[in-house]
């Protein structure tokens, strides 16, 4: 499936840009090579981790997402170029095609679900309800996804009245109302001299991502109505929103530095500015905004030194250096240092940078900079968890099968022996005592490797009369005192008599 997704994406670009058989075959060969390479890395990631550095493997992962997004965006761009339409006309045609395809898909999905459910109930006696999911996936793959791709180059000339009503009088009206609400909010800020809400950036980003295609499409309807006149003003009316976004994200960067999410916010603002300039000055080149998007994706993910990961790491490292540059810190500086330390701990190169800059006592001081060393408590805790699905249970030789679910929260008050030595697993109104303490100790020795070995050790022969098949285990406990915080167990208990 992974191979097919990559191959289809690159092959779609190949078929878009080339009509000659030889060039297409070369494109297909390149698609196969890339798909095989990425699939091999994905399947053997655990083995490759031992050969290459984590940072290189992370770069390969970024390259994968960058190439998949960029290739698909370029497919849209070249299909637009081949259509010989304006960008607004191309967008509206694609929208109508996808809208019709989605309606048909919805009817097929609902109808197939009803028919399949009846078949399962009447013919299969209520068994194999996974067949329902398989049918839905089949329709998604055979009809809907190819239909979406087909919509990108099968450009319709005629726009129905129904499509016009949905786009112009429903979606566009909602966009205009959203603009009005946000302008009311801006007036409230000015009058009350209030600090903008933290959520305003997300609201404005969502408005642009959803609203921009709509007002771009509506520009194709040149009927000189009141909605058309307002729509022409929307790109200009969005400019104050860009200023509000710059202020909103700027404050957060000044307070806490750059992270990957804030970097992407900056890139979105750059994209909005370029779109606005093109829209106001050279609207006939509006289609080139797709290439701007591709460039932003490449810069953000894989370009050395200026991608979102490198810039974020540099920014947080500079925040951490405040600790060495000063001896007395303000509340804001403490927050910067504390946040930078824990941010860098989560990155591949972060631990190395921290250890080069700070000794152990300085690191402990940073962990205590807000009055509590959270890492000491977290380092004491051990988490053991694993899960496996059971397709069938061999009940030969057993008379009874019970479903077991047991969980409890102890807040560190119960030892492992107390919790698990005589664990009572409740079955309906009966208490059936099952001793699995030795098995629990075995699981805890596996640690993070438990998931890899769980399906081989989850069948517990309690005695000659009882067998326990554990499907889910989750335990958190103190490594030193072995006191349990909480646990969750579930599985099946088989009894012979």
């Amino acid at each position: 499936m992974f191979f097919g997704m990559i191959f289809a994406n690159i092959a779609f670009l190949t078929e878009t840009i080339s009509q000659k058989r030889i060039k297409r075959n070369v494109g297909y060969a390149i698609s196969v090579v890339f798909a095989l390479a990425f699939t091999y890395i994905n399947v053997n990631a655990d083995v490759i981790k031992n050969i290459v550095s984590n940072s290189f493997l992370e770069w390969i992962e970024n390259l994968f997402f960058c190439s998949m997004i960029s290739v698909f965006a370029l497919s849209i761009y070249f299909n637009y170029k081949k259509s010989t339409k304006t960008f607004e006309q191309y967008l509206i045609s694609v929208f109508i095609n996808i809208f019709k395809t989605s309606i048909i898909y919805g009817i097929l999905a609902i109808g197939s679900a009803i028919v399949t459910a009846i078949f399962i109930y009447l013919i299969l006696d209520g068994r194999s309800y996974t067949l329902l999911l398989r049918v839905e996936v089949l329709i998604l793959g055979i009809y809907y996804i190819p239909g979406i791709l087909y919509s990108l180059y099968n450009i319709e000339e005629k726009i129905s009245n129904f499509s016009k009503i949905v786009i112009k009088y429903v979606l566009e009206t909602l966009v205009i109302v959203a603009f009005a609400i946000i302008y009311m909010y801006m007036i409230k800020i000015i009058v009350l001299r209030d600090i903008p809400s933290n959520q305003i950036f997300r609201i404005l980003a969502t408005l642009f991502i959803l609203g921009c295609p709509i007002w771009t499409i509506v520009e194709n309807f040149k009927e000189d109505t009141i909605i058309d006149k307002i729509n022409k003003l929307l790109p200009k009316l969005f400019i104050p929103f860009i200023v509000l976004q710059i202020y909103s994200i700027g404050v957060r960067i000044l307070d806490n530095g750059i992270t990957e999410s804030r970097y992407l916010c900056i890139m979105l603002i750059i994209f909005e500015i370029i779109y606005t300039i093109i829209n106001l000055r050279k609207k006939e080149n509006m289609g080139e905004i797709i290439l701007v998007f591709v460039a932003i994706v490449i810069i953000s993910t894989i370009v050395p030194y200026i991608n979102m990961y490198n810039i974020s790491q540099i920014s947080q490292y500079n925040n951490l250096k405040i600790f060495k540059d000063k001896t007395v810190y303000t509340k804001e500086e403490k927050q910067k240092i504390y946040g930078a330390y824990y941010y860098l701990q989560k990155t591949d190169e972060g631990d190395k940078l921290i250890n080069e800059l700070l000794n152990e006592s300085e690191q402990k001081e940073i962990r205590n900079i807000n009055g509590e060393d959270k890492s000491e408590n977290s380092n004491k805790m051990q988490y053991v968890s694993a899960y496996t699905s059971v397709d069938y249970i061999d009940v030969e030789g057993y008379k009874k099968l019970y479903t077991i679910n047991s969980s409890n929260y102890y807040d560190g008050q119960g030892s492992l022996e107390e919790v698990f030595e005589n664990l009572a697993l409740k079955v309906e109104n009966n208490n059936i005592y099952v001793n699995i303490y030795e098995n629990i100790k075995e699981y805890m020795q596996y640690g993070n490797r438990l998931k890899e070995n769980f399906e081989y050790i989850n069948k517990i022969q309690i005695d000659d009369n009882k067998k326990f098949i554990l499907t889910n285990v989750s335990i958190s406990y103190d490594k030193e005192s072995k006191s349990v915080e909480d646990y969750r167990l579930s599985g099946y208990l088989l009894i012979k008599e």
Side-chain angles (χ1 to χ4, degrees):
M1 186 171 64
F2 193 76
F3 173 89
M5 178 183 69
I6 300 167
F7 174 78
N9 195 13
I10 304 175
F12 183 59
L13 176 61
T14 297
E15 294 178 0
T16 300
I17 61 179
S18 178
Q19 299 296 324
K20 295 183 179 179
R21 179 181 293 181
I22 295 176
K23 289 184 178 179
R24 277 196 174 191
N25 289 338
V26 171
Y28 293 143
I30 293 172
S31 304
V32 169
V33 170
F34 269 88
L36 282 174
F38 280 126
T39 304
Y40 178 82
I41 293 169
N42 181 58
V43 172
N44 299 283
D46 292 336
V47 177
I48 296 173
K49 278 181 184 177
N50 300 323
I51 302 172
V52 301
S53 65
N54 287 337
S55 57
F56 180 75
L57 199 60
E58 188 178 89
W59 186 84
I60 293 295
E61 183 181 337
N62 296 337
L63 177 64
F64 166 73
F65 287 111
C66 174
S67 58
M68 290 299 97
I69 295 171
S70 299
V71 164
F72 189 70
L74 287 173
S75 298
I76 296 174
Y77 175 77
F78 287 115
N79 272 298
Y80 150 66
K81 283 293 187 181
K82 286 171 65 177
S83 70
T84 66
K85 291 176 174 284
T86 65
F87 191 61
E88 295 86 350
Q89 291 171 335
Y90 176 78
L91 275 184
I92 193 170
S93 296
V94 169
F95 178 87
I96 292 169
N97 286 339
I98 292 176
F99 185 67
K100 290 180 178 178
T101 302
S102 299
I103 290 175
I104 296 172
Y105 168 70
I107 295 170
L108 281 173
I110 295 170
S112 300
I114 294 170
V115 172
T116 306
I118 293 171
F119 176 80
I120 292 170
Y121 183 76
L122 296 179
I123 307 301
L124 302 181
D125 298 324
R127 298 189 300 271
S128 300
Y129 271 97
T130 55
L131 178 63
L132 184 62
L133 177 62
R134 294 173 187 272
V135 169
E136 293 301 315
V137 171
L138 199 64
I139 295 171
L140 179 73
I142 290 178
Y143 175 76
Y144 192 59
I145 293 176
I148 295 294
L149 297 179
Y150 190 64
S151 299
L152 296 176
Y153 71 90
N154 178 39
I155 307 303
E156 292 187 355
E157 294 288 341
K158 189 177 179 182
I159 300 171
S160 65
N161 288 329
F162 177 74
S163 301
K164 184 189 293 185
I165 291 170
V166 170
I167 297 169
K168 185 174 180 179
Y169 295 103
V170 178
L171 298 179
E172 175 72 359
T173 301
L174 291 174
V175 171
I176 293 171
V177 171
F179 265 74
I181 292 171
I182 296 172
Y183 265 95
M184 289 168 63
Y185 173 72
M186 292 179 69
I187 294 170
K188 175 186 171 184
I189 292 172
I190 295 169
V191 172
L192 300 179
R193 297 181 182 179
D194 197 8
I195 297 174
S197 166
N198 290 342
Q199 306 298 324
I200 191 62
F201 187 94
R202 297 176 190 176
I203 295 170
L204 293 173
T206 303
L207 176 62
F208 180 81
I209 293 169
L210 298 179
C212 176
I214 294 171
W215 75 61
T216 303
I217 288 172
V218 172
E219 288 180 2
N220 188 62
F221 302 119
K222 298 174 181 178
E223 299 172 334
D224 204 32
T225 63
I226 185 66
I227 289 181
D228 292 305
K229 292 176 181 178
I230 295 173
N231 187 72
K232 288 180 182 179
L233 298 174
L234 292 185
K236 295 177 182 177
L237 292 173
F238 194 83
I239 294 174
F241 296 170
I242 296 175
V243 176
L244 191 57
Q245 283 178 303
I246 292 171
Y247 172 82
S248 176
I249 198 63
V251 168
R252 275 138 200 82
I253 290 172
L254 288 173
D255 287 344
N256 301 299
I258 298 175
T259 60
E260 287 88 346
S261 58
R262 293 177 193 134
Y263 180 100
L264 292 176
C265 291
I266 295 170
M267 284 300 186
L268 177 61
I269 291 171
I270 292 171
F271 182 83
E272 291 172 355
I273 292 171
I274 295 173
Y275 167 85
T276 304
I277 292 170
I278 295 175
N279 186 281
L280 297 178
R281 299 191 65 181
K282 287 190 176 182
K283 194 173 291 187
E284 64 275 10
N285 295 332
M286 184 57 68
E288 309 305 313
I289 199 68
I290 299 175
L291 298 181
V292 174
F293 171 76
V294 172
I296 286 176
V297 170
I298 293 171
I299 292 169
S300 301
T301 53
I302 62 172
V303 174
Y305 306 113
I306 60 173
N307 63 63
M308 72 175 92
Y309 308 100
N310 290 153
I311 292 293
S312 299
Q313 190 165 278
I314 292 168
S315 173
Q316 296 301 323
Y317 182 69
N318 287 333
N319 281 350
L320 189 62
K321 285 169 68 177
I322 296 172
F323 181 82
K324 300 288 284 187
D325 297 337
K326 292 185 175 184
T327 55
V328 180
Y329 316 101
T330 64
K331 183 180 179 180
E332 290 76 17
E333 288 171 337
K334 285 182 180 180
Q335 191 62 38
K336 277 187 179 182
I337 295 167
Y338 187 78
Y341 177 79
Y342 282 102
Y343 172 88
L344 291 172
Q345 272 198 331
K346 297 175 184 177
T347 64
D348 290 330
E349 300 294 326
D351 276 335
K352 180 181 176 183
L353 292 171
I354 290 172
N355 292 328
E356 287 177 354
L357 183 66
L358 306 168
N359 58 40
E360 183 56 38
S361 63
E362 289 172 326
Q363 291 184 39
K364 187 172 182 179
E365 188 178 343
I366 289 175
R367 293 195 294 266
N368 280 289
I369 204 166
N370 288 328
E372 181 185 0
D373 186 352
K374 294 183 179 179
S375 68
E376 285 192 1
N377 292 330
S378 63
N379 287 337
K380 288 180 182 178
M381 294 305 298
Q382 177 74 26
Y383 302 94
V384 174
S385 65
Y387 170 84
T388 185
S389 59
V390 177
D391 294 326
Y392 77 96
I393 298 173
D394 184 1
V395 295
E396 185 176 359
Y398 294 90
K399 289 185 177 180
K400 298 176 182 178
L401 173 66
Y402 295 103
T403 300
I404 300 294
N405 287 292
S406 182
S407 63
N408 213 330
Y409 177 69
Y410 288 91
D411 194 22
Q413 300 302 310
S415 68
L416 284 173
E417 290 84 354
E418 292 169 342
V419 173
F420 293 111
E421 191 169 14
N422 292 301
L423 178 64
L425 300 179
K426 292 185 178 180
V427 179
E428 296 178 351
N429 297 322
N430 303 317
N431 281 337
I432 299 177
Y433 292 88
V434 177
N435 187 343
I436 59 171
Y437 175 61
E438 294 300 324
N439 302 92
I440 293 297
K441 286 200 298 186
E442 181 183 2
Y443 296 154
M444 294 167 72
Q445 291 172 1
Y446 276 92
N448 292 332
R449 296 181 295 110
L450 177 61
K451 295 178 182 178
E452 304 168 13
N453 301 278
F454 188 56
E455 61 181 301
Y456 305 108
I457 61 173
N458 69 322
K459 298 172 183 64
I460 305 167
Q461 191 69 47
I462 298 167
D463 52 38
D464 293 338
N465 190 47
K466 294 191 286 289
K467 181 181 180 181
F468 188 43
I469 300 174
L470 195 57
T471 57
N472 182 23
V473 56
S474 176
I475 309 166
S476 60
Y477 67 100
D478 189 296
K479 287 189 286 188
E480 295 178 0
S481 65
K482 295 294 191 294
S483 58
V484 177
E485 289 289 316
D486 58 67
Y487 80 88
R488 181 179 297 276
L489 301 171
S490 61
Y492 302 96
L493 180 66
L494 289 89
I495 300 179
K496 288 184 178 180
E497 297 179 2

